[in-house]
Amino acid sequence: MKIQLINPNTSQPMTQKMAQAAQAIALPGTQIIATQPQHGPKSIESAFDDVIAAAALMDEIADGYHANVDAHIIACFGDPGLDAAREIATAPVIGIAEAAFHAASLVCRRFSVVTTLSSTVPTAHHLLEHYGFAHLCAQVRATDIPVLDLEKHSEAVYQQLVNECWQAIHQDNAQAIVLGCAGMADIVARLREALPVPIIDGVTAAVTFAESLVRLGLTTSKHGHYAVPKTKPFIGRYQHWNR
Amino acid sequence: MKIQLINPNTSQPMTQKMAQAAQAIALPGTQIIATQPQHGPKSIESAFDDVIAAAALMDEIADGYHANVDAHIIACFGDPGLDAAREIATAPVIGIAEAAFHAASLVCRRFSVVTTLSSTVPTAHHLLEHYGFAHLCAQVRATDIPVLDLEKHSEAVYQQLVNECWQAIHQDNAQAIVLGCAGMADIVARLREALPVPIIDGVTAAVTFAESLVRLGLTTSKHGHYAVPKTKPFIGRYQHWNR
Amino acid sequence: MKIQLINPNTSQPMTQKMAQAAQAIALPGTQIIATQPQHGPKSIESAFDDVIAAAALMDEIADGYHANVDAHIIACFGDPGLDAAREIATAPVIGIAEAAFHAASLVCRRFSVVTTLSSTVPTAHHLLEHYGFAHLCAQVRATDIPVLDLEKHSEAVYQQLVNECWQAIHQDNAQAIVLGCAGMADIVARLREALPVPIIDGVTAAVTFAESLVRLGLTTSKHGHYAVPKTKPFIGRYQHWNR
Amino acid sequence: MKIQLINPNTSQPMTQKMAQAAQAIALPGTQIIATQPQHGPKSIESAFDDVIAAAALMDEIADGYHANVDAHIIACFGDPGLDAAREIATAPVIGIAEAAFHAASLVCRRFSVVTTLSSTVPTAHHLLEHYGFAHLCAQVRATDIPVLDLEKHSEAVYQQLVNECWQAIHQDNAQAIVLGCAGMADIVARLREALPVPIIDGVTAAVTFAESLVRLGLTTSKHGHYAVPKTKPFIGRYQHWNR
Amino acid sequence: MKIQLINPNTSQPMTQKMAQAAQAIALPGTQIIATQPQHGPKSIESAFDDVIAAAALMDEIADGYHANVDAHIIACFGDPGLDAAREIATAPVIGIAEAAFHAASLVCRRFSVVTTLSSTVPTAHHLLEHYGFAHLCAQVRATDIPVLDLEKHSEAVYQQLVNECWQAIHQDNAQAIVLGCAGMADIVARLREALPVPIIDGVTAAVTFAESLVRLGLTTSKHGHYAVPKTKPFIGRYQHWNR
Amino acid sequence: MKIQLINPNTSQPMTQKMAQAAQAIALPGTQIIATQPQHGPKSIESAFDDVIAAAALMDEIADGYHANVDAHIIACFGDPGLDAAREIATAPVIGIAEAAFHAASLVCRRFSVVTTLSSTVPTAHHLLEHYGFAHLCAQVRATDIPVLDLEKHSEAVYQQLVNECWQAIHQDNAQAIVLGCAGMADIVARLREALPVPIIDGVTAAVTFAESLVRLGLTTSKHGHYAVPKTKPFIGRYQHWNR
């Protein structure tokens, strides 16, 4: 099966890093098609970045649709544009925050999220409420590591992360840690060795859940909420959406 | 004072209709600057339309900012891009759904929303939850009148609306009606004469609340949630956001 | 327009202080009619005080009704008697706690309330739940300044308040401060200069929102919840309510 | 032990009817001291009536306090003045709506309330939310029987009630019925014979729960929420509260 | 009347201690029939212990049924098997956690639970949510005293408990303390003397509430939720349930 | 990998039917080890049945543990004993109701559950609340088909199911259907052809999610909530749990 993995920001190294993590967990017959928008911000760390990236991301969904992918993954922890993507896609669409929360809820009753900049905390809270997982989340913790610094893999970045995880365990009584950023996928293995609780990464979780939906023959319901939008005039830089 | 009234869709007649309603309610010293994006969909009736319109809308907020407006109003019932707009603006920003819910909650304990297409119902429910007004809303009712048909002012459209309002009163025990579309502003007067409960229009409510905030000297808190986003590289059709 | 500003306690200096703050923010054509009950407690700092003040307050609402006021404001942070007032009035009625919460929710996503005695904290929590703003309130903080000491304007009182506000900002991550007492209106200006977040005073907010409702032609729905009470026999000190 | 049973309205026949029901259920050693305010409305069917009755009721609580009663019962389904009464009393205070909801929650997972006028429905909903029983209540149903008509004991009144109860059972899947009025106590026996589900009357439930608290040595916590109010000046018709 | 008091664990000394506390509070005419399963764990400190004890407990309920008891009490703070017991019993069934929460909610607006091992904390939270009392609970505090050590009555155990209660009062602003274990019944008197807030013990509360239901003529609704289970084949160690 | 599929009731034909459905969806390398308790009820249709089955089920979990399975599935829609199983297992444990709700929430925003006897409806509601999916569930519908009749595969049973599904779509606006019974797995294919919305079966969903957790290296957190229970004496028919 073909799974489109969309990095909604425009940082290519991050796309590649995710693609590797995704391919590594995927089933033998699964092809990961990693992509990123040609428009928009280099990282997503505010509601503003999110709004721009969501619009740009729609083009990628359309590309995936034309390439007949079996599922789409939106690989940014804010799950930008998820509802809209579900409307225009016919294959299932999964966000990595969503996937991480689902996985966490299957292995514990109380998790903390460890994320990057504190400006992304409100989005995480909003998603927890929206999906129905808020009652399981003890705390959303920001390390104040800028997203793009995660690419650098430095020892200092790792130390900040592991310290924040320990604080989640000791202060929040967290029973599992959800990593709140797509760019953390490759640090997971190291954190798992260092920490006594499950460490959950949304990218890999999303891959296995996307594969699960495809294998189960389930796709987004087109009845009601996620029905295909009415066609209508679009102008300016969005005129390619005229249908 | 100067209030920027942004119609997030690209239908000019709708912008003008709103501008008239807004100017009519505004204080003598208030100048309504009505505008609409140069990009995006002609109407907003799905999450997809909403995502595109939100991104396009950011340019209008920036224009308002450079024109030193005292407040911005986002005049589409889905309040697209509201959080993002609050980040990049320094003046207060109000959405018309938000304004309508606030007004309704001051005059009743149970209202129904009467909106256009059923595809906009999920957005209304989401906003009610997000703002904290869900407990006051009996029902969100769709008339399945396309947004742009509202411009035509036909007797048939009015009859559909007034019938739906009566059903809200009789079946939901609604004590007030919130009109769930910016394009309904000019039908308000007629509905008020026909119906025994308060009829709430978000555009005019938003104008008076925006004026209230300005007079009170209150503007969006830049501490935490709505802090100015970090500058960063943007590419492609969003490169003008490189800052 | 005529707005009746009711101080529900029987302290005249407090009424005058509020009246000044209210008149200062009011529109040129607005007349503030400040009043207070002739019966009841000198300050409202418990559920018991609240119950007595609410009953006494009904007479003031009736006076306002006979004077044809365009709106009534109940200017005590517990919003005593608000639902009952809405039943017997025909003009809109606004409470200052309600008004302050509405204003706060338009400029931030997380506020703290700074109030007087800790005995008033449960009432604040109850109102936050009842109106639907609890999810936006980080903390209700008591300074343990008696209400009537606020009139004295001492430097010590100001220092206690400003310290509590700073704690709200640092410990609660509050993005705005709601002042939880009607008697604080005149300290607002000074606090605003000292603090980096919006400072919200219910009295002035209520004036602008009451004016907004009047301008919008909205008044309390008499359909359902706030219908005029059935007439019936009243005896003893309430026999003037025989109708 | 001595239990003060306060009918908060000024209808003497209703007081007597309740007193009989209360004495009939009470333990051999329990003395029911039935009373009613000398001020206020003849029945309580709106928020306005409730506010007046609550203030008048405080005098009765004070009388009970001076008579050294072991517990106070507020015998109106709106539980008027309950929090205030708990502040000024030292013995435990129970409301009959509260008592009825507690009893219902011990014998079923889904009940409906059958009450009198529809104007009392919002109060019932508010109490259900406030106490934490809303999730167990399927529906609050109004029969639109005026409270004072309940005294008349007519066959027509009984038929209306029993019909409404059957509707609750069939339409709401109610597993028990809470009678939403103090004046219904004497119809309970007849309803129990006619209906296949538990019928819960707040007056008798409150008596047994008040006795339980007294026997358990439990009284209202004076730590925090229900602490004795600060003494302060009261004027006019409330000057007897000057302490 | 006859009340069956079931200790769901297999520790006989604990059954006896409870029986004494129960008989001491019971009405003159009430006979306490204390019992414990002949199968299962010696103490209940995990979900696993709870599951085993619940199944074993069903036999005791059946015994009580055949002995024509007027009510059953499940005397373990996790209320194991309560819903199932209500299905197979015809007399009312009360859990001691349930009873303690009801009593607490009648005398305060904010309590803390002080319990034994931290492994029992999730169960307490689950029950608070399930019954609707979570909004009144400030904190569930574990002393990490093993259940069976409570039998030993040592001074050290008492000191740990009293310290935890003081922390609840000072840190949580708890207005009352709910003791989260059946084995604590005999320490109640001593704690009450030492602490300034109500101390609530579920065993004694359950006895008075069970007596109340019996006196009120209320028993579990057999309509819907708690209907008698369909008979069906049971095999192996549960074949005695073949009916 | 080895996945233990536990049918918690003692009906062998149902175990076999599930085993086939599970093996059919499983990955090539996955071995499904289907089992059922040697004790307990032939079907699970009440809280009582659930309590007995949960205790019996623990032995199966222990067997799976000793057989070194990689994951356990509890294949009854009430998810009996799930928390307890997570305590005593080291491999991940998934319930089929849980799995079905997760799958549904990934493909729609509003689903209805179609289940067997109405006596199982309360359990479904309880699980929806407990897991956090209640906001997505429009209705839990009972067909009143006894569980064991599902084995018979009759046309009448199918017609009842498909009719109930259509009602869910038309009356509840359900966007997907969750089948509320393990015994329905083999009717899924036929329902999918007949109905325009996703049909979700918990058994197959649980298999793919269990495989996902194993592939992700995630297992139940043993920190806090699901820690291994303390060893202690067990007597009677549970003495084999003495450890």
Side-chain angles (χ1 to χ4, degrees):
Chain A
M1 84 183 72
K2 288 193 285 186
I3 294 183
Q4 184 190 34
L5 177 77
I6 308 170
N7 170 15
N9 74 33
T10 52
S11 159
Q12 240 232 292
M14 193 170 284
T15 310
Q16 285 175 331
K17 213 163 55 164
M18 283 181 211
Q20 284 165 18
Q23 194 67 65
I25 194 76
L27 290 173
T30 299
Q31 179 191 355
I32 299 293
I33 304 175
T35 180
Q36 68 192 30
Q38 297 184 316
H39 310 270
K42 197 151 183 198
S43 62
I44 302 176
E45 297 164 319
S46 65
F48 171 70
D49 294 346
D50 191 287
V51 154
I52 300 299
L57 169 64
M58 295 299 114
D59 292 343
E60 305 309 306
I61 296 286
D63 282 358
Y65 170 83
H66 288 114
N68 281 316
V69 300
D70 295 287
H72 312 259
I73 293 173
I74 299 180
C76 164
F77 203 76
D79 292 354
L82 181 57
D83 280 349
R86 283 181 175 152
E87 289 177 354
I88 62 170
T90 52
V93 188
I94 294 186
I96 63 164
E98 185 185 40
F101 298 150
H102 279 274
S105 80
L106 292 171
V107 297
C108 77
R109 286 291 295 171
R110 184 179 176 89
F111 59 82
S112 283
V113 178
V114 172
T115 185
T116 51
L117 291 191
S118 51
S119 57
T120 67
V121 172
T123 300
H125 279 297
H126 181 232
L127 294 178
L128 286 161
E129 282 294 341
H130 184 54
Y131 297 142
F133 294 114
H135 61 123
L136 301 179
C137 182
Q139 188 93 13
V140 180
R141 294 174 160 272
T143 52
D144 280 316
I145 304 168
V147 167
L148 299 179
D149 283 13
L150 287 175
E151 293 177 24
K152 295 176 198 160
H153 250 289
S154 74
E155 188 62 23
V157 161
Y158 170 75
Q159 282 305 335
Q160 254 180 290
L161 274 174
V162 83
N163 288 347
E164 200 73 31
C165 290
W166 277 116
Q167 286 187 40
I169 293 168
H170 290 139
Q171 292 174 16
D172 314 344
N173 287 320
Q175 301 163 6
I177 304 289
V178 168
L179 294 178
C181 183
M184 290 177 180
D186 59 344
I187 311 183
V188 174
R190 200 171 162 197
L191 287 173
R192 282 193 180 160
E193 276 173 35
L195 294 160
V197 300
I199 306 296
I200 292 147
D201 161 60
V203 173
T204 46
V207 171
T208 66
F209 291 160
E211 289 172 334
S212 295
L213 294 181
V214 174
R215 289 164 57 203
L216 292 164
L218 293 175
T219 188
T220 308
S221 176
K222 286 294 166 181
H223 197 85
H225 207 105
Y226 296 125
V228 177
K230 281 201 325 175
T231 59
K232 63 183 54 168
F234 281 74
I235 61 171
R237 66 172 82 111
Y238 301 108
Q239 66 188 352
H240 57 294
W241 287 107
N242 256 331
R243 285 179 301 188
Chain B
M1 86 184 70
K2 288 194 287 187
I3 294 182
Q4 184 190 35
L5 177 77
I6 308 171
N7 171 15
N9 74 32
T10 52
S11 160
Q12 240 232 292
M14 194 171 283
T15 310
Q16 285 175 331
K17 214 165 55 166
M18 283 181 209
Q20 285 166 17
Q23 195 66 66
I25 193 76
L27 291 173
T30 298
Q31 180 191 354
I32 300 293
I33 304 175
T35 179
Q36 71 194 27
Q38 297 183 318
H39 310 271
K42 196 151 183 196
S43 62
I44 301 176
E45 296 164 320
S46 66
F48 171 70
D49 294 346
D50 191 286
V51 154
I52 300 298
L57 170 64
M58 295 299 114
D59 292 343
E60 304 309 305
I61 296 287
D63 283 358
Y65 170 83
H66 289 116
N68 282 315
V69 301
D70 295 287
H72 313 259
I73 293 172
I74 297 179
C76 164
F77 202 75
D79 294 353
L82 181 56
D83 280 349
R86 282 182 176 152
E87 288 177 353
I88 62 171
T90 52
V93 188
I94 294 185
I96 65 165
E98 184 185 40
F101 298 149
H102 280 273
S105 80
L106 292 170
V107 298
C108 77
R109 287 290 296 169
R110 184 179 177 89
F111 60 81
S112 283
V113 178
V114 173
T115 185
T116 52
L117 291 192
S118 51
S119 57
T120 67
V121 172
T123 300
H125 279 297
H126 181 233
L127 294 179
L128 286 161
E129 282 294 341
H130 184 55
Y131 298 143
F133 293 115
H135 61 121
L136 301 178
C137 182
Q139 188 93 13
V140 181
R141 292 174 162 272
T143 54
D144 281 315
I145 304 168
V147 167
L148 298 179
D149 282 13
L150 287 174
E151 292 177 24
K152 294 178 196 159
H153 248 290
S154 75
E155 188 60 22
V157 162
Y158 170 76
Q159 282 305 334
Q160 254 180 291
L161 273 175
V162 83
N163 287 348
E164 199 73 33
C165 290
W166 276 116
Q167 286 186 41
I169 293 169
H170 290 139
Q171 293 174 15
D172 314 342
N173 288 320
Q175 301 162 6
I177 304 289
V178 167
L179 295 178
C181 183
M184 290 177 181
D186 59 344
I187 310 182
V188 175
R190 200 168 163 202
L191 287 174
R192 282 193 179 158
E193 275 173 35
L195 294 160
V197 299
I199 306 298
I200 292 147
D201 161 60
V203 173
T204 46
V207 170
T208 66
F209 291 161
E211 289 173 333
S212 294
L213 293 181
V214 175
R215 289 164 57 203
L216 291 164
L218 292 175
T219 187
T220 308
S221 176
K222 285 296 164 180
H223 197 85
H225 206 106
Y226 295 125
V228 178
K230 282 200 327 174
T231 58
K232 64 183 54 169
F234 280 74
I235 62 171
R237 66 173 81 110
Y238 301 108
Q239 66 189 350
H240 57 293
W241 286 108
N242 255 331
R243 281 181 301 189
Chain C
M1 87 182 69
K2 288 193 286 187
I3 293 181
Q4 185 190 33
L5 177 78
I6 308 172
N7 170 15
N9 73 33
T10 53
S11 160
Q12 241 234 290
M14 194 170 282
T15 310
Q16 285 176 331
K17 212 164 57 164
M18 284 181 211
Q20 284 166 18
Q23 195 66 66
I25 193 76
L27 291 173
T30 298
Q31 180 191 352
I32 299 293
I33 304 175
T35 180
Q36 69 193 29
Q38 296 183 318
H39 310 270
K42 197 152 183 196
S43 62
I44 301 176
E45 297 164 318
S46 66
F48 171 70
D49 295 346
D50 191 285
V51 154
I52 300 299
L57 170 64
M58 294 300 113
D59 292 343
E60 305 309 305
I61 296 286
D63 283 358
Y65 170 84
H66 289 116
N68 282 315
V69 300
D70 295 287
H72 312 259
I73 293 172
I74 297 179
C76 164
F77 203 75
D79 293 354
L82 181 57
D83 280 349
R86 281 181 177 153
E87 288 177 354
I88 63 170
T90 52
V93 188
I94 294 185
I96 64 165
E98 185 185 39
F101 298 148
H102 279 275
S105 79
L106 292 169
V107 297
C108 76
R109 286 291 295 170
R110 185 178 175 90
F111 60 81
S112 284
V113 178
V114 173
T115 185
T116 51
L117 292 192
S118 51
S119 56
T120 67
V121 172
T123 300
H125 279 298
H126 181 232
L127 294 179
L128 286 161
E129 282 293 341
H130 184 54
Y131 297 142
F133 294 114
H135 60 123
L136 301 178
C137 182
Q139 188 93 14
V140 180
R141 293 173 161 272
T143 52
D144 281 315
I145 304 169
V147 167
L148 299 179
D149 283 13
L150 286 174
E151 293 177 23
K152 294 179 196 158
H153 250 289
S154 73
E155 188 60 23
V157 161
Y158 169 76
Q159 281 306 334
Q160 254 181 290
L161 274 175
V162 84
N163 287 349
E164 199 73 31
C165 291
W166 276 116
Q167 286 186 40
I169 293 169
H170 290 138
Q171 292 174 15
D172 314 343
N173 287 320
Q175 300 163 8
I177 304 289
V178 168
L179 295 178
C181 183
M184 291 176 180
D186 58 344
I187 310 183
V188 175
R190 200 169 162 201
L191 287 173
R192 282 193 180 159
E193 277 173 34
L195 295 160
V197 299
I199 306 297
I200 293 149
D201 161 60
V203 173
T204 47
V207 170
T208 66
F209 290 160
E211 289 173 334
S212 295
L213 294 181
V214 175
R215 290 163 57 203
L216 291 164
L218 292 175
T219 188
T220 308
S221 175
K222 287 295 166 180
H223 197 85
H225 206 107
Y226 296 125
V228 177
K230 282 200 328 175
T231 59
K232 63 182 55 169
F234 281 74
I235 61 171
R237 67 173 82 110
Y238 301 108
Q239 68 189 349
H240 58 293
W241 286 108
N242 256 330
R243 282 180 300 189
Chain D
M1 86 183 72
K2 288 192 286 186
I3 294 182
Q4 185 190 35
L5 177 77
I6 309 171
N7 170 15
N9 74 32
T10 52
S11 160
Q12 242 233 289
M14 193 171 283
T15 310
Q16 284 175 331
K17 213 163 56 164
M18 282 182 213
Q20 285 165 19
Q23 194 67 65
I25 194 75
L27 291 173
T30 298
Q31 180 190 355
I32 300 293
I33 304 175
T35 180
Q36 69 193 30
Q38 297 184 316
H39 310 269
K42 195 149 184 199
S43 62
I44 302 176
E45 297 164 320
S46 66
F48 171 71
D49 294 346
D50 191 287
V51 154
I52 300 299
L57 169 64
M58 294 299 113
D59 293 344
E60 305 309 305
I61 296 285
D63 283 358
Y65 171 84
H66 288 116
N68 282 316
V69 301
D70 295 287
H72 312 258
I73 293 172
I74 298 179
C76 164
F77 203 76
D79 294 353
L82 181 57
D83 280 349
R86 282 182 176 153
E87 288 178 353
I88 62 171
T90 52
V93 188
I94 294 185
I96 64 164
E98 185 186 40
F101 297 150
H102 280 274
S105 80
L106 292 170
V107 298
C108 78
R109 287 291 295 169
R110 184 177 176 90
F111 59 81
S112 284
V113 178
V114 172
T115 184
T116 51
L117 291 192
S118 52
S119 57
T120 67
V121 172
T123 300
H125 279 298
H126 181 234
L127 294 179
L128 286 161
E129 282 293 343
H130 184 54
Y131 297 142
F133 293 114
H135 61 123
L136 302 178
C137 181
Q139 187 93 14
V140 180
R141 292 174 162 273
T143 53
D144 280 316
I145 305 168
V147 167
L148 299 179
D149 283 13
L150 287 175
E151 293 177 23
K152 293 176 198 161
H153 249 288
S154 74
E155 188 61 23
V157 160
Y158 169 76
Q159 282 306 333
Q160 255 181 290
L161 275 175
V162 83
N163 287 347
E164 199 73 32
C165 291
W166 276 117
Q167 286 187 40
I169 293 168
H170 290 139
Q171 293 174 15
D172 314 344
N173 287 320
Q175 300 163 7
I177 304 288
V178 168
L179 295 179
C181 183
M184 290 176 180
D186 59 343
I187 311 182
V188 174
R190 200 170 162 198
L191 288 173
R192 281 192 181 162
E193 278 173 33
L195 295 160
V197 299
I199 306 297
I200 292 148
D201 161 61
V203 173
T204 46
V207 171
T208 66
F209 291 161
E211 289 173 334
S212 295
L213 293 181
V214 174
R215 289 164 58 203
L216 292 164
L218 292 175
T219 188
T220 308
S221 176
K222 286 294 164 181
H223 197 85
H225 207 104
Y226 296 126
V228 177
K230 281 201 328 174
T231 59
K232 64 183 55 170
F234 281 75
I235 62 171
R237 66 173 82 111
Y238 300 107
Q239 65 189 350
H240 57 293
W241 286 108
N242 255 331
R243 284 180 299 188
Chain E
M1 85 183 72
K2 288 193 285 187
I3 294 181
Q4 185 190 34
L5 177 77
I6 309 171
N7 171 15
N9 73 33
T10 52
S11 159
Q12 240 232 291
M14 195 172 280
T15 309
Q16 284 176 331
K17 213 163 57 165
M18 283 181 209
Q20 284 166 18
Q23 195 67 64
I25 194 75
L27 291 173
T30 299
Q31 180 190 354
I32 299 293
I33 303 175
T35 180
Q36 70 193 28
Q38 296 184 317
H39 309 270
K42 195 148 184 199
S43 62
I44 302 175
E45 297 165 319
S46 65
F48 172 70
D49 295 347
D50 190 286
V51 154
I52 300 298
L57 170 63
M58 294 300 113
D59 293 342
E60 305 309 305
I61 296 286
D63 283 357
Y65 170 84
H66 289 115
N68 282 314
V69 301
D70 295 287
H72 311 260
I73 293 173
I74 297 180
C76 163
F77 203 75
D79 293 354
L82 181 56
D83 280 350
R86 281 181 177 154
E87 288 178 354
I88 61 170
T90 53
V93 188
I94 293 185
I96 64 165
E98 185 185 41
F101 298 150
H102 279 275
S105 81
L106 292 170
V107 298
C108 77
R109 287 291 295 169
R110 184 178 176 89
F111 59 81
S112 283
V113 178
V114 173
T115 185
T116 51
L117 291 192
S118 51
S119 57
T120 66
V121 172
T123 299
H125 279 299
H126 181 232
L127 293 179
L128 287 161
E129 282 295 340
H130 184 54
Y131 296 142
F133 293 115
H135 61 122
L136 301 177
C137 181
Q139 188 94 11
V140 180
R141 292 174 162 272
T143 53
D144 280 314
I145 304 169
V147 167
L148 299 179
D149 283 12
L150 287 174
E151 292 177 23
K152 295 179 197 159
H153 248 291
S154 74
E155 188 61 24
V157 161
Y158 170 75
Q159 282 305 333
Q160 253 181 292
L161 275 174
V162 83
N163 287 349
E164 200 73 32
C165 290
W166 277 116
Q167 286 187 40
I169 294 169
H170 290 140
Q171 292 174 16
D172 314 343
N173 287 320
Q175 300 162 8
I177 304 289
V178 168
L179 294 178
C181 184
M184 290 177 180
D186 58 344
I187 310 182
V188 175
R190 199 168 164 200
L191 287 173
R192 282 195 179 156
E193 276 173 35
L195 293 161
V197 300
I199 306 298
I200 292 147
D201 161 59
V203 173
T204 46
V207 171
T208 66
F209 291 161
E211 289 173 332
S212 294
L213 293 182
V214 175
R215 290 163 56 203
L216 292 164
L218 292 175
T219 188
T220 308
S221 177
K222 286 294 165 180
H223 197 86
H225 208 105
Y226 296 125
V228 177
K230 280 200 328 175
T231 58
K232 64 182 55 170
F234 281 74
I235 61 171
R237 68 173 79 111
Y238 300 109
Q239 66 189 353
H240 57 294
W241 287 108
N242 255 330
R243 284 181 299 188
Chain F
M1 87 183 69
K2 287 193 285 185
I3 293 182
Q4 185 190 35
L5 177 77
I6 308 171
N7 171 15
N9 73 32
T10 53
S11 159
Q12 240 231 291
M14 194 171 282
T15 309
Q16 285 175 331
K17 214 165 54 167
M18 283 180 208
Q20 284 165 19
Q23 195 67 66
I25 193 76
L27 291 174
T30 298
Q31 180 191 355
I32 299 292
I33 303 175
T35 181
Q36 69 193 29
Q38 296 184 317
H39 310 270
K42 196 149 184 198
S43 62
I44 302 176
E45 296 164 320
S46 65
F48 171 70
D49 295 346
D50 191 286
V51 153
I52 300 299
L57 170 62
M58 294 300 113
D59 293 342
E60 305 310 305
I61 296 285
D63 284 357
Y65 171 83
H66 289 115
N68 282 315
V69 300
D70 295 288
H72 312 259
I73 293 173
I74 298 180
C76 164
F77 203 75
D79 292 354
L82 181 56
D83 280 350
R86 282 181 176 152
E87 289 177 354
I88 61 170
T90 52
V93 188
I94 294 186
I96 65 165
E98 184 185 41
F101 298 150
H102 279 274
S105 80
L106 292 170
V107 298
C108 76
R109 288 290 296 169
R110 184 179 176 88
F111 58 82
S112 284
V113 177
V114 172
T115 184
T116 51
L117 291 192
S118 51
S119 57
T120 67
V121 172
T123 300
H125 279 298
H126 180 233
L127 294 179
L128 286 161
E129 283 293 343
H130 184 54
Y131 297 143
F133 294 114
H135 61 122
L136 300 179
C137 182
Q139 187 94 12
V140 180
R141 293 173 162 273
T143 53
D144 280 315
I145 304 168
V147 167
L148 300 179
D149 283 13
L150 288 174
E151 292 176 24
K152 296 177 196 159
H153 249 290
S154 75
E155 188 60 24
V157 161
Y158 170 75
Q159 282 305 334
Q160 254 180 290
L161 274 175
V162 83
N163 287 348
E164 199 73 32
C165 291
W166 275 115
Q167 286 187 39
I169 293 168
H170 290 140
Q171 292 174 15
D172 315 342
N173 287 319
Q175 300 162 7
I177 304 288
V178 167
L179 294 178
C181 183
M184 290 177 180
D186 59 343
I187 311 183
V188 176
R190 200 170 163 200
L191 287 173
R192 282 195 179 157
E193 275 173 35
L195 295 160
V197 300
I199 306 297
I200 292 147
D201 161 59
V203 173
T204 46
V207 171
T208 66
F209 292 161
E211 290 173 333
S212 295
L213 293 181
V214 174
R215 289 164 57 204
L216 291 163
L218 292 175
T219 188
T220 308
S221 176
K222 286 293 164 180
H223 197 85
H225 207 104
Y226 295 126
V228 177
K230 281 200 325 174
T231 58
K232 63 182 54 168
F234 280 75
I235 62 171
R237 66 173 81 111
Y238 301 108
Q239 65 189 351
H240 57 293
W241 287 108
N242 255 331
R243 284 179 300 187

